Amino acid sequence: MSVRLYIGNLPQTFEAKELETQLTSVGEGIRFKTVLDRETGACRGFGFANVDDEKVADALIEQFNGKDFNGNTLRVERSERRESNAGAAGNRRGGPGNAPGSARKAVNKVVHSDAKTESAPDPRWAGELSKLKDLLADQKTTV
């Protein structure tokens, strides 16, 4: 089973091949992928390394965590895998499909309420309301 490592605090401009060659100097079976910004194509400051062997993963963490790389101190640790991807697609902003205990806190905001709070009509609609009352009064028929 492969181990996924988070590699953070990467500089925005660097050669991914350069870092990958440093990582593969520790052992074989290491694949590194940088996370890029969709709009600019620049590095977002982190990436992930998939390592085939647990011992090599531990050696990578020990050797590269806190190491200087192009002026930045690297942060290397085991990546936390998501429990389930079910419901995650199209629902990444804290909706009901996310797992309980997620980092985002649920906030219930009331933007508009249909509950009647006052007996007086809204003054913005007072003119329209009086016109409607007159129309209804004219439509009454005696039986």
Side-chain angles (χ1 to χ4, degrees):
M1 180 177 173
S2 71
V3 178
R4 187 170 190 187
L5 298 177
Y6 166 85
I7 301 177
N9 203 23
L10 294 171
Q12 286 196 342
T13 55
F14 75 98
E15 291 292 324
K17 292 289 183 191
E18 177 186 353
L19 180 61
E20 192 168 0
T21 56
Q22 287 185 11
L23 294 175
T24 55
S25 68
V26 174
E28 295 296 318
I30 301 169
R31 294 165 309 283
F32 175 73
K33 178 144 172 98
T34 308
V35 177
L36 302 176
D37 187 80
R38 290 180 186 166
E39 295 173 6
T40 63
C43 176
R44 290 187 57 196
F46 65 96
F48 294 97
N50 289 320
V51 185
D52 292 336
D53 187 16
E54 292 254 351
K55 292 178 184 176
V56 174
D58 291 336
L60 271 175
I61 293 170
E62 196 171 306
Q63 187 171 350
F64 286 97
N65 192 24
K67 180 183 177 186
D68 183 65
F69 179 72
N70 291 348
N72 289 11
T73 304
L74 291 179
R75 180 176 159 202
V76 182
E77 58 190 33
R78 289 180 185 264
S79 175
E80 296 177 7
R81 292 195 183 260
R82 293 181 186 164
E83 292 299 317
S84 164
N85 285 338
N91 197 7
R92 298 179 182 200
R93 304 271 171 152
N98 286 358
S102 65
R104 290 188 177 248
K105 187 165 88 173
V107 177
N108 294 328
K109 293 183 180 178
V110 177
V111 177
H112 173 74
S113 176
D114 289 332
K116 203 173 197 181
T117 56
E118 297 179 15
S119 59
D122 189 346
R124 295 174 292 179
W125 296 99
E128 295 293 321
L129 186 60
S130 65
K131 287 179 190 176
L132 284 172
K133 285 182 180 179
D134 291 339
L135 283 171
L136 286 172
D138 291 341
Q139 290 182 358
K140 287 185 180 176
T141 59
T142 56
V143 182

